[in-house]
Amino acid sequence: MKFSTLGLAFAIGATAAASLPAINITGNAFFNSETGERFYIRGVDYQPGGSSNLTDPLGDSTICGRDIPYFEELGLNTIRVYSVDNTLDHSECMQMLDDAGIYLILDLNTPDASISRYDPGCSYNAVYLNEVFSTVDEFSNYTNILGFFAANELVNNNASLDTAPYIKAVVRDTKKYIKARGYRQIPVGYSAADVSSLRKELADYLNCGNDTDAKIDMLGVNDYSWCGQSSFTTSGYSEKVEMYTGFSVPIFLSEYGCNQVPGSRPFTEVKSIYSTQMSPVFSGGLVYQYTEDSSKYGLVEIEGDSVETLTDFENLKDELNLTSDPIGDGDYSATGEESACPTDWAFSINIPTAPDGLSKLLKNGATGGNGFDAETQNSCGDDAYYVSSTITANSSSMEHTSSSTASSAHSTSTKSSSSSSKGIADQLEAHGMTALLALIAIRKIYIK
Ligand SMILES: *[C@@H]1O[C@H](CO)[C@@H](O)[C@H](O)[C@H]1NC(C)=O
Ligand SMILES: *[C@@H]1O[C@H](CO)[C@@H](O)[C@H](O)[C@H]1NC(C)=O
Ligand SMILES: *[C@@H]1O[C@H](CO)[C@@H](O)[C@H](O)[C@H]1NC(C)=O
Ligand SMILES: *[C@@H]1O[C@H](CO)[C@@H](O)[C@H](O)[C@H]1NC(C)=O
Ligand SMILES: *[C@@H]1O[C@H](CO)[C@@H](O)[C@H](O)[C@H]1NC(C)=O
Ligand SMILES: *[C@@H]1O[C@H](CO)[C@@H](O)[C@H](O)[C@H]1NC(C)=O
Ligand SMILES: *[C@@H]1O[C@H](CO)[C@@H](O)[C@H](O)[C@H]1NC(C)=O
């Protein structure tokens, strides 16, 4: 008797808190864990305020509540948010997203709590991990959290390639934390800048080696190669499908929507992204970006509480509506093998050992984060968690001794921005969090 009463109570509770089924990964694709159907990301990147007025849109239901109806109008099933404030309560917005059938891909970093390109060894410390894990704690219980990004565009040119081992370190530590806390096995991945010379090599590195925890569960690629009325072959999508064939984890476009076109963006790539030409390798994508700002990538103009849809919004909506997902399983692959590690890198590809504080965090849990006030990049110098860079450089230009003098930092950053491999890379730098990070890094050094 008691058993059936409990059963009833559980059933009622479950109905009241109806939630989206978790998305699971099999092979190189996402699947709805209840229906077993393949899941293609139909998304937008969402950070109203951008880096200049950093705001957590999921910590305030007047913000997410204003925008979710527009996500629904576009027919979206996913949004990506680049930075949240881990001191806020996200339950209202997460429930509203859930009610709208929308999943979240969340980047775990904030501008001042992230790995620094200029001194990765110092910025990879336990105070930083405490921030990352506090964000994981805040979001792991929601079934509509699709995945976490451990980093976004940390490697953005040849010169920053030697930060790649730190991506794997943060992926590893985050996956260990998720396991240690008994959370659902939420995918942890990386969102890559489109650097043609490193594209495949970096992807392979992130998916290689005998440390399973350190391998990405999914790969987002920021790709602006389809401009205007392009095509599967002209845009270079075809080459990428070929190049990534056999890659063993899901890949999707974590940013797309080239705006190097006169007038509005036609979003003709949508038909290609959700076609059987792409579906064996790619699982949809997210348009950069929801909110219009000076970089002119927006779908809507926001003024206080009011949202005005732009022509880009209408075009995207039409294209998404005219484009169904491929039927069946889209010819995904369950048999891909992990990649081979590169052997030609001029620095150690070994993954840095975790800071001393990690084991305590795994055992006791994170202590709660500091939101956008967190400043962890220089925490190696003044706390107990100092961990020196484990990269042993073989060329002096790649040295990672913490010589944060103004001149060396400045020359590094100048080199970084001038050696971008593509015009678009400058633009990505200019509109992404990346630029903010660079500015902060420079500012800090001058202040010292
Ligand atoms: C910054 O964002 C907040 C929250 O959306 C908004 O209230 C405020 O007006 C914005 N400030 C500026 C200068 O745009
Ligand atoms: C997680 O979700 C379950 C079921 O909805 C709930 O009972 C539990 O309190 C939640 N835990 C946290 C830490 O929010
Ligand atoms: C989905 O993954 C969760 C763990 O992350 C697991 O409990 C569940 O059985 C999986 N569902 C399917 C259908 O594979
Ligand atoms: C895993 O790979 C690392 C680096 O290549 C190597 O040092 C280590 O011996 C390997 N461990 C095992 C168990 O194969
Ligand atoms: C297109 O819109 C119609 C009407 O709202 C809807 O029924 C249909 O499911 C949409 N198709 C897609 C692919 O979103
Ligand atoms: C540095 O170069 C030496 C000699 O070429 C090589 O034996 C060593 O493995 C290299 N170290 C790293 C960390 O790549
Ligand atoms: C980056 O490195 C690759 C090969 O290592 C090289 O072909 C390419 O020219 C380099 N690009 C820049 C901008 O230095």
Side-chain angles (χ1 to χ4, degrees):
M1 293 306 108
K2 200 173 176 200
F3 180 77
S4 65
T5 313
L6 277 176
L8 184 64
F10 177 76
I12 290 166
T15 318
S19 51
L20 286 171
I23 300 299
N24 282 11
I25 291 174
T26 302
N28 72 341
F30 297 110
F31 292 87
N32 179 311
S33 64
E34 251 165 42
T35 65
E37 280 173 305
R38 178 133 179 223
F39 182 86
Y40 295 89
I41 292 167
R42 290 175 172 251
V44 296
D45 296 312
Y46 180 52
Q47 193 90 50
S51 49
S52 57
N53 181 20
L54 192 61
T55 306
D56 177 353
L58 305 182
D60 180 345
S61 60
T62 63
I63 299 179
C64 69
R66 174 194 65 197
D67 298 324
I68 290 172
Y70 294 90
F71 302 156
E72 291 183 278
E73 191 179 338
L74 287 167
L76 305 183
N77 61 17
T78 309
I79 56 168
R80 171 189 183 186
V81 175
Y82 293 82
S83 276
V84 290
D85 178 337
N86 56 20
T87 64
L88 300 180
D89 176 6
H90 298 86
S91 57
E92 256 188 284
C93 284
M94 289 307 285
Q95 186 61 52
M96 288 162 85
L97 286 170
D98 194 295
D99 292 343
I102 296 172
Y103 291 85
L104 171 67
I105 295 174
L106 181 63
D107 289 67
L108 293 171
N109 297 285
T110 60
D112 271 355
S114 53
I115 298 295
S116 154
R117 285 199 197 104
Y118 308 103
D119 197 350
C122 169
S123 60
Y124 175 56
N125 57 61
V127 186
Y128 163 66
L129 291 178
N130 187 61
E131 291 300 322
V132 169
F133 296 167
S134 296
T135 304
V136 169
D137 285 339
E138 175 61 20
F139 284 88
S140 287
N141 209 32
Y142 302 111
T143 58
N144 61 331
I145 182 92
L146 196 161
F148 295 122
F149 278 141
N152 175 50
E153 301 198 349
L154 183 61
V155 173
N156 67 347
N157 55 25
N158 282 7
S160 50
L161 181 60
D162 58 359
T163 60
Y166 291 89
I167 300 172
K168 296 191 76 154
V170 179
V171 167
R172 173 195 64 198
D173 300 346
T174 304
K175 284 165 76 167
K176 279 190 173 161
Y177 187 77
I178 288 171
K179 275 185 220 162
R181 307 313 294 161
Y183 297 143
R184 173 169 61 89
Q185 209 183 316
I186 300 161
V188 180
Y190 174 66
S191 177
D194 192 19
V195 184
S196 55
S197 58
L198 307 173
R199 210 181 264 148
K200 184 61 171 20
E201 203 171 24
L202 178 61
D204 282 341
Y205 174 64
L206 298 174
N207 187 33
C208 83
N210 56 17
D211 185 345
T212 314
D213 283 331
K215 289 196 288 197
I216 50 170
D217 297 318
M218 59 179 194
L219 177 67
V221 294
N222 297 341
D223 186 306
Y224 291 81
S225 59
W226 183 304
C227 298
Q229 306 287 341
S230 191
S231 74
F232 181 62
T233 43
T234 306
S235 65
Y237 277 15
S238 56
E239 283 166 46
K240 286 161 198 164
V241 167
E242 201 175 313
M243 186 182 77
Y244 288 120
T245 293
F247 199 70
S248 63
V249 303
I251 305 179
F252 55 96
L253 302 172
S254 38
E255 291 178 5
Y256 76 88
C258 166
N259 68 358
Q260 303 300 291
V261 289
S264 59
R265 294 179 286 177
F267 288 113
T268 50
E269 62 266 56
V270 166
K271 285 198 190 71
S272 191
I273 292 170
Y274 302 96
S275 74
T276 51
Q277 283 179 312
M278 300 279 283
S279 63
V281 174
F282 283 86
S283 293
L286 302 113
V287 169
Y288 190 86
Q289 64 171 338
Y290 179 69
T291 323
E292 180 73 319
D293 62 21
S294 58
S295 67
K296 301 289 174 202
Y297 280 94
L299 302 174
V300 306
E301 191 98 54
I302 294 176
E303 188 107 17
D305 296 337
S306 88
V307 175
E308 187 200 333
T309 58
L310 303 173
T311 311
D312 280 18
F313 180 96
E314 303 303 333
N315 293 348
L316 177 63
K317 177 178 149 185
D318 290 348
E319 286 295 328
L320 283 170
N321 188 261
L322 288 169
T323 312
S324 306
D325 292 340
I327 50 168
D329 67 17
D331 217 4
Y332 84 107
S333 167
T335 58
E337 282 177 18
E338 67 170 49
S339 312
C341 289
T343 52
D344 60 344
W345 286 5
F347 53 89
S348 168
I349 63 166
N350 292 335
I351 307 160
T353 40
D356 288 343
L358 177 69
S359 51
K360 196 171 158 201
L361 289 168
L362 295 180
K363 185 157 167 272
N364 302 338
T367 60
N370 294 288
F372 293 153
D373 292 336
E375 287 197 35
T376 67
Q377 289 194 328
N378 298 321
S379 295
C380 60
D382 47 30
D383 72 17
Y385 299 125
Y386 177 76
V387 53
S388 61
S389 169
T390 54
I391 286 185
T392 324
N394 262 355
S395 90
S396 60
S397 67
M398 284 185 175
E399 229 163 309
H400 275 279
T401 50
S402 50
S403 57
S404 332
T405 61
S407 61
S408 76
H410 189 250
S411 67
T412 308
S413 68
T414 308
K415 194 172 73 196
S416 303
S417 52
S418 63
S419 65
S420 300
S421 65
K422 274 189 165 183
I424 193 75
D426 291 333
Q427 228 176 312
L428 292 179
E429 281 247 65
H431 80 232
M433 304 299 277
T434 324
L436 182 64
L437 289 181
L439 284 174
I440 286 168
I442 293 165
R443 174 175 57 84
K444 280 203 172 134
I445 282 149
Y446 281 131
I447 284 170
K448 267 186 189 168

